[in-house]
Structures are given as C-alpha cells and as structure tokens.
Amino acid sequence: MVKVRQFARLIVDLVKRKLLPEAKEMENRLDQWKNRWQENKTGWHQSDVNFALLNHGPLLLTEPGRRILVPLCGKSLDMKWFYDAGHTVVGIEGIEMPISEFFSEHDIPHVIERFPDGKLYKSENGRLLMYCCDLFKLNAAILGKFDAVWDRGSLVAIYEEDRESYAKLMKSILAPDFRYLANIVQYTPNEKFSGPPRNIPMETLQKLYGDVCKIKILETLDRSQDEKVRNTWELDAMDEVVVLMTPKD
C-alpha cells in the first residue's frame, strides 16, 4: 500500500511539472469533434466562401495552379472555391463524416485509399485530396510541400499545448516561396469561455512562426457586437484578424 501511495504521488508530481500529460492531453482529441458533427453542432461551418479569401485571395494565390493545404478543413466551401479555380487542394480532417459529405454534396467522383493512420479521399482527377486522420500523424514525407496554406479554423481550434507541434508541422511543409493566410481571433478569455476558437495574440503568432515568416496584418474586424460573442461567450470584446505570412528571407 505504501508503494502504491508513493507511485500515485509521483504521477501527480510529474503532471504538475508537465513531465507527463494531463488527462485532457491523453484523451482522444477527436472525440469531441466527432460528437459535434454527429449532433450537427457545427457553428464554425460557413455556408459561403470565407470573406478573407474574397478580400485577399490574390495575395495567397500568386500564380495559377497552386498546391494548397487546408488543415482541419471540415467540409468547407473554401476548398471547392480553390478547386474550381484550378488549384490542387489538400485537406486534413479528423472526422470522416464531413469529408464524405463534402464529396457527396459536390458530386465529385473519388476513390478512398487506406494508409496506416487513416483514409485518403481523392478525386479521380487527383486535384482534391482529403486526409481523414489525426493531423499529428502526418508529416512532410506524406503530405509533400505546399505553395499556400489557408488556416481558417485550425490554429484557433487546437489545444494550446499542441501549438508548437502544429507550427513545426506547418513550417515543414512550406515551399520556398510560400504564402500562408490565417484567420485568428483575439480576446481576453474569461471563466465562461476560453475557446475554441482560442485567443491567438500576435506575440504568440510571432513566437510560433517568426523564425521563418514575416507576419503582416491584412484586416481586423471588430466582432464585439456579435450575439454569440456577447451573450453566449460573455466576452467584452473580440477581434477577428486576417494575417498573411510570407518567407522571412
């Protein structure tokens, strides 16, 4: 019994010192998102192409035939927008339901391939690929390099403790003359709400990407009067910020 208590105290100490993951880190990160798709609680899904692409698309897509990554893509219409413009689009999504619905709703002929950590949905013409797996199971050897990244709801969705691993993955897949467009939100978290979408200060973005990227704010929208921001999340203020990241050198 003494040894059991000593072991328990050791585990608690390691967790406090962040040498072992907390329970939240050990659970399957995909479970909550799977439940929300099944229960149709997908308030982040938009019925139109994102405003940032309409306003700043030419800065992201500097040439025809770009290869674009959309992490944590869901069934975003943004991917169809890229695809219809003639680009090659690669999405990553942990839940199969929105991937299947995307190909079905847009009537895109496709095949499904299996790989060790998940499935790959691929259009017959090879210009649209969607990986169904845990994002952190992928790497540059699997994904290849990308001319552009559209990060609308990915960085703001992941756990704070995963941000460095996420940024490391994103930086590893960037082509030399990349363009990285991101939508982030900025607010002061309170006891009722801390995300997702999670607060991403510019200092955090600089810490994560500043070693390889120049970061430029393209647009800032005040979302403080939005019903969800004020009444559901009970935040005093929130800004939605569009940033463009380009090669530092």
Side-chain angles (χ1 to χ4, degrees):
M1 182 63 69
V2 173
K3 290 184 177 180
V4 172
R5 288 199 296 265
Q6 289 175 337
F7 179 75
R9 286 197 295 268
L10 175 61
I11 293 299
V12 171
D13 180 62
L14 289 174
V15 168
K16 288 181 178 178
R17 294 162 57 192
K18 297 188 180 297
L19 298 178
L20 280 181
E22 299 178 30
K24 180 179 68 173
E25 296 177 83
M26 297 173 68
E27 70 183 8
N28 188 334
R29 287 166 165 77
L30 302 179
D31 283 347
Q32 63 166 317
W33 301 108
K34 181 178 181 180
N35 292 337
R36 293 187 67 172
W37 278 108
Q38 291 176 340
E39 297 169 5
N40 198 30
K41 296 179 179 179
T42 55
W44 64 87
H45 178 68
Q46 298 180 345
S47 57
D48 297 302
V49 175
N50 189 272
F51 76 94
L53 291 180
L54 300 178
N55 293 349
H56 308 290
L59 296 177
L60 177 67
L61 308 169
T62 55
E63 296 180 19
R66 300 282 82 186
R67 190 165 190 264
I68 306 164
L69 177 67
V70 186
L72 301 189
C73 57
K75 58 175 183 176
S76 169
L77 293 179
D78 300 343
M79 292 185 296
K80 186 64 162 50
W81 187 77
F82 291 132
Y83 180 73
D84 287 344
H87 303 288
T88 296
V89 190
V90 179
I92 304 172
E93 171 57 48
I95 310 304
E96 189 168 10
M97 179 179 170
I99 298 178
S100 177
E101 290 181 351
F102 179 89
F103 280 92
S104 176
E105 291 170 2
H106 298 293
D107 195 25
I108 299 175
H110 63 284
V111 297
I112 303 174
E113 301 176 357
R114 294 183 179 273
F115 63 101
D117 292 304
K119 296 180 181 179
L120 172 62
Y121 282 65
K122 181 166 62 175
S123 65
E124 290 185 352
N125 64 10
R127 283 201 302 107
L128 177 60
L129 301 88
M130 295 178 70
Y131 287 88
C132 179
C133 64
D134 185 335
L135 180 146
F136 293 107
K137 298 294 185 180
L138 298 172
N139 54 51
I142 297 173
L143 295 170
K145 298 291 185 177
F146 293 88
D147 306 300
V149 176
W150 167 228
D151 191 330
R152 180 249 159 179
S154 188
L155 180 59
V156 297
I158 62 173
Y159 290 129
E160 185 173 344
E161 56 264 32
D162 289 330
R163 287 175 181 172
E164 288 190 8
S165 296
Y166 176 82
K168 183 178 180 180
L169 172 62
M170 292 297 106
K171 289 183 289 188
S172 74
I173 53 82
L174 297 174
D177 192 30
F178 69 87
R179 299 293 184 272
Y180 190 133
L181 191 66
N183 255 25
I184 60 174
V185 292
Q186 297 176 342
Y187 60 91
T188 301
N190 58 30
E191 292 183 358
K192 187 175 181 63
F193 185 78
S194 59
R198 294 182 169 86
N199 175 48
I200 310 288
M202 291 305 298
E203 294 81 3
T204 297
L205 204 62
Q206 183 66 38
K207 179 181 179 182
L208 293 172
Y209 292 94
D211 56 328
V212 300
C213 298
K214 292 186 294 186
I215 303 172
K216 181 180 180 181
I217 296 176
L218 299 180
E219 188 172 3
T220 301
L221 298 178
D222 184 357
R223 299 298 192 189
S224 303
Q225 299 306 313
D226 288 9
E227 189 277 335
K228 181 178 289 187
V229 173
R230 294 192 65 83
N231 298 330
T232 304
W233 299 338
E234 298 182 10
L235 298 174
D236 295 328
M238 172 183 280
D239 285 338
E240 183 173 0
V241 183
V242 182
V243 299
L244 178 67
M245 294 187 278
T246 56
K248 192 169 186 178
D249 298 319

